[in-house]
Amino acid sequence: MKNFFLTISFTLIFTTDIFCFGDFVEKIDYFVEFQEKLPGMSAVLHVNFISVIPEPKEAEKIVKQQLEVYGNMTAANKKTPKCKNIIGSVWYINKADPAKPVKIKFQKDLAAYVWLGKTRKIVAFPDYISFLKKERNNKKLKYKESKKRLQEARN
């Protein structure tokens, strides 16, 4: 009976350890670098893995969590503009050559996510490019309309 109890106990402890070590721990497995840029420019967030190369799904989950944290921090900060965008990516830093980090892709053509400060949502990088084009076209349209109204007011 004693051996049976010890076997069950060790099995449970071993199983618990496996599940606990399955998640990455910040500052042990990875660290985050956040760089503010000039007003009007997107900030940059790098999640740098040190000891292991994560699976793309895990890396995607972690970068989205960090983007949400830093996005909400910049929104709460009075010094930064309300609509600050943050581009987030994941890197693996090889201990043999730390000067050449390797960028980790989440999917075939996707290696970055973006926190949109205006909508407070996380989107894929290609969607961010589409968003910027749409915003640029809206600004051009508004400029043309205001120029037309000004011209009509002069006449």
Side-chain angles (χ1 to χ4, degrees):
M1 185 69 174
K2 184 178 179 182
N3 287 338
F4 177 74
F5 179 71
L6 287 174
T7 305
I8 296 294
S9 297
F10 283 123
T11 305
L12 289 173
I13 291 170
F14 182 71
T15 306
T16 307
D17 287 343
I18 288 173
F19 284 112
C20 290
F21 290 120
D23 293 334
F24 293 105
V25 180
E26 187 175 358
K27 296 183 182 172
I28 294 175
D29 296 321
Y30 68 92
F31 63 95
V32 179
E33 290 179 320
F34 181 73
Q35 300 171 352
E36 282 282 343
K37 300 293 182 179
L38 296 173
M41 294 180 65
S42 297
V44 178
L45 179 117
H46 288 186
V47 177
N48 300 306
F49 280 84
I50 309 162
S51 56
V52 294
I53 299 175
E55 291 293 321
K57 293 281 185 193
E58 284 290 320
E60 183 177 340
K61 179 179 147 187
I62 291 170
V63 79
K64 284 182 176 181
Q65 287 173 347
Q66 295 298 326
L67 279 171
E68 194 164 325
V69 168
Y70 280 88
N72 287 325
M73 279 183 7
T74 57
N77 190 354
K78 303 294 181 197
K79 294 179 182 177
T80 58
K82 291 180 183 177
C83 300
K84 190 71 171 176
N85 298 330
I86 304 170
I87 301 172
S89 58
V90 177
W91 298 80
Y92 171 69
I93 298 177
N94 189 354
K95 290 181 182 176
D97 192 7
K100 295 182 181 178
V102 178
K103 193 171 195 176
I104 296 172
K105 289 190 174 186
F106 307 116
Q107 299 168 16
K108 184 179 179 185
D109 295 331
L110 181 62
Y113 281 98
V114 180
W115 167 270
L116 294 177
K118 190 173 188 176
T119 61
R120 299 176 54 92
K121 291 184 181 178
I122 297 172
V123 297
F125 192 76
D127 296 335
Y128 173 62
I129 298 299
S130 299
F131 174 80
L132 289 178
K133 288 178 182 177
K134 184 179 173 184
E135 289 288 309
R136 183 186 64 201
N137 290 338
N138 287 343
K139 283 182 182 178
K140 284 182 181 179
L141 186 61
K142 286 179 183 178
Y143 176 74
K144 286 180 182 179
E145 288 175 357
S146 66
K147 191 174 180 182
K148 185 178 178 181
R149 277 189 246 133
L150 182 64
Q151 190 73 323
E152 288 173 356
R154 286 183 183 170
N155 293 332

